[in-house]
Amino acid sequence: MLFNAVLIFVGFAFDINFLSTYIYRFGYNGLFVTSAASSYAYIIFFIYAYYKHKNISSWTEIIITIVILCSSLLVGTKAIYLSLFLIFTLAFAISNKLSIQVKYIFISLLLVTATSLFYYYFYLTGDFNLIREEKGLLSSILSFRNDLLIEVTLPYIKENWSILNYLFGGVSDFNTRSQLGFIDVFYFWGIIGGIFYFYVFTKFFFSFQIKLENALFVGILSLIVLLAGNFFESASIAIFILILQQIFLKGNLKQK
């Protein structure tokens, strides 16, 4: 992550297209192939950083973490910004090292900063503002995924699916997916297949005692998956899921 962070800074400084996240939009993700891969890699790093720095860390470790956190701001995906805000807010809220007054101050500053940035980028200037004016706020937030669901995915289902498809899925054109994570699982596997998929997924992932911290972080990740998608389809993200599992396991062991 540190090596990739350096590449992101280089890409930003010299405007190197090879290191960019998008073609027509701001963002640099280094050697990550897709915006989804970089988003989930950083989200899992944020969770790792929380557990890593709950106890005393060396200044070297702290500086490395700060460098990587700063590089995440240049990736340009809304998923990273939202998760960074939520995880920081959660970290301050559940910290045992801060007084209630200090928590209120930090969380209030985060809320004011996040609200100001949201208003600036979605209501005053930039591509998100243009999308909001043309298609509405939801389309701007979801990057047209809601439009894709209504205009492509649902019509495909209506025209091509039988009762067996509703039960077990059946997609011949991958481009018809909505790119909304949990919806796409049922699109691929149907109602029965989707329920079975999530049963197997949770059974093998939660191979440890689920503590409040774990549940809250999984909740944040689930929200991102719901809004951003492309989580269950990527082989590289499957590796990140295994890393996240090990982070939770190690974090739980340290608390014993």
Side-chain angles (χ1 to χ4, degrees):
M1 292 296 292
L2 179 61
F3 175 72
N4 198 70
V6 172
L7 292 179
I8 288 174
F9 290 125
V10 170
F12 172 73
F14 298 100
D15 192 22
I16 301 175
N17 290 331
F18 175 72
L19 300 174
S20 63
T21 310
Y22 305 101
I23 298 176
Y24 302 110
R25 206 175 94 191
F26 170 80
Y28 296 88
N29 65 350
L31 295 181
F32 286 112
V33 177
T34 65
S35 59
S38 55
S39 293
Y40 291 117
Y42 269 102
I43 292 170
I44 292 171
F45 174 81
F46 299 155
I47 298 173
Y48 165 78
Y50 168 81
Y51 285 103
K52 178 72 175 178
H53 299 291
K54 280 184 65 176
N55 302 311
I56 297 175
S57 302
S58 68
W59 277 107
T60 301
E61 293 174 330
I62 293 173
I63 292 172
I64 290 174
T65 297
I66 291 174
V67 170
I68 298 173
L69 289 176
C70 290
S71 72
S72 72
L73 301 177
L74 300 177
V75 177
T77 69
K78 295 188 290 294
I80 286 180
Y81 301 144
L82 176 60
S83 63
L84 186 61
F85 164 71
L86 293 175
I87 291 173
F88 259 86
T89 303
L90 176 61
F92 284 123
I94 65 180
S95 173
N96 295 322
K97 299 179 181 180
L98 302 175
S99 66
I100 296 297
Q101 292 79 7
V102 173
K103 288 181 181 180
Y104 279 137
I105 291 173
F106 274 113
I107 293 175
S108 297
L109 289 174
L110 284 172
L111 286 171
V112 170
T113 302
T115 302
S116 301
L117 290 173
F118 178 85
Y119 182 77
Y120 179 78
Y121 285 107
F122 283 89
Y123 283 89
L124 295 181
T125 186
D127 295 334
F128 298 136
N129 177 51
L130 294 176
I131 296 173
R132 179 192 61 81
E133 292 177 344
E134 180 180 351
K135 301 287 289 187
L137 181 60
L138 187 60
S139 295
S140 182
I141 293 174
L142 297 180
S143 298
F144 299 110
R145 290 183 177 88
N146 57 315
D147 300 289
L148 187 60
L149 173 65
I150 294 172
E151 298 173 5
V152 179
T153 307
L154 294 180
Y156 180 89
I157 291 174
K158 184 177 180 181
E159 294 172 7
N160 296 281
W161 276 24
S162 66
I163 184 63
L164 288 177
N165 295 120
Y166 282 100
L167 294 177
F168 302 106
V171 181
S172 60
D173 185 356
F174 193 68
N175 292 322
T176 60
R177 75 193 194 283
S178 66
Q179 298 183 37
L180 295 169
F182 294 114
I183 293 177
D184 284 344
V185 168
F186 290 102
Y187 185 52
F188 296 146
W189 298 102
I191 297 172
I192 294 177
I195 293 173
F196 180 74
Y197 179 94
F198 282 121
Y199 169 76
V200 174
F201 187 93
T202 55
K203 178 179 176 61
F204 283 95
F205 179 80
F206 293 106
S207 59
F208 51 87
Q209 181 182 358
I210 303 173
K211 298 186 177 182
L212 178 60
E213 289 177 335
N214 305 148
L216 292 172
F217 285 125
V218 169
I220 292 174
L221 181 59
S222 298
L223 175 63
I224 301 300
V225 173
L226 176 64
L227 299 177
N230 293 316
F231 181 78
F232 299 103
E233 301 93 319
S234 171
S236 61
I237 293 175
I239 298 173
F240 302 156
I241 296 171
L242 292 175
I243 295 173
L244 179 63
Q245 183 189 55
Q246 295 304 308
I247 292 171
F248 286 151
L249 283 168
K250 189 174 181 179
N252 289 352
L253 288 173
K254 285 185 176 180
Q255 293 176 7
K256 291 183 178 181

